[in-house]
Amino acid sequence: MSVADRLAELGLQLPSSAAPVGAYVPAVRTGSYVWTSGQLPFVAGGLTVTGIVGLTPGQVTPPAATEQARIAALNALAAVGSLLAGPGGDAVAALDRVVRVVKVVGFVASDPTFTGQPAVLNGASELLHALLGDAGVHARSAVGVAALPLGAPVEVELVVEVA
C-alpha cells in the first residue's frame, strides 16, 4: 500500500514542509540518508498548543503532547517528502522511496517531575509505523528539556534511509 493510500485511510494529509524559523533547511540528504531538522507541531503555519508537559493543571497534558508528537512527525515526513520530490514534485509520492526510518529523536518540554517522555513520543512512533509499515519501525531517543522553540511542547527529528 502506498503512503498516499495510508494517509487517506487514516484521514490525514501531508502538510507542506514548514518554513525554517532560523538559519537552516528543513532536511538534507547525504548518500541514501535524509536527516531532518527538528520539526515542531505546526498546523497551518502555527502552534495550536504551547507550554510544558506535565501533570499539573495548566500544563500540556500527556495525551495532548502525544498528539503534538504525531503532528511533528507528520511535519518531519513532509520535510523528507519535499526534499525528495524537489520543486514542484509530489512529496507524498516521494515518500514511497523511504526504505526505513532509522532513528527518531524527540524532545519534550517537560516539568522537572515529568518522566513520561517515551509515552509522549509514542505519538510519533505509532504514526510512522502506521504510514510506512515495517519501514517505519525505528530506534528512538525521548529527551525531556526545559523549553523548546516558540514554546512548543514537542520537537521531532528523523533520520530516514531512502532509495
Side-chain angles (χ1 to χ4, degrees):
M1 182 181 290
S2 71
V3 173
D5 292 338
R6 287 186 174 130
L7 282 165
E9 188 176 89
L10 294 170
L12 297 172
Q13 290 186 353
L14 190 71
S16 298
S17 183
V21 294
Y24 61 90
V25 294
V28 297
R29 181 175 181 172
T30 182
S32 60
Y33 294 93
V34 174
W35 298 69
T36 71
S37 296
Q39 299 294 312
L40 301 179
F42 286 128
V43 174
L47 295 172
T48 59
V49 175
T50 58
I52 62 170
V53 180
L55 302 175
T56 302
Q59 294 179 334
V60 178
T61 66
T66 299
E67 176 60 21
Q68 295 299 296
R70 184 176 188 251
I71 294 166
L74 191 60
N75 288 339
L77 283 176
V80 171
S82 179
L83 177 76
L84 293 174
D90 184 343
V92 174
L95 289 175
D96 289 328
R97 295 172 46 200
V98 171
V99 173
R100 169 164 212 102
V101 177
V102 177
K103 178 84 184 235
V104 173
V105 179
F107 302 95
V108 181
S110 303
D111 181 275
T113 63
F114 182 71
T115 59
Q117 293 84 2
V120 168
L121 266 294
N122 282 344
S125 294
E126 291 167 0
L127 175 78
L128 293 168
H129 185 253
L131 288 177
L132 301 170
D134 288 343
V137 178
H138 53 269
R140 186 182 81 187
S141 297
V143 182
V145 297
L148 287 168
L150 306 175
V154 298
E155 182 175 331
V156 171
E157 60 184 56
L158 304 178
V159 178
V160 178
E161 181 183 4
V162 298

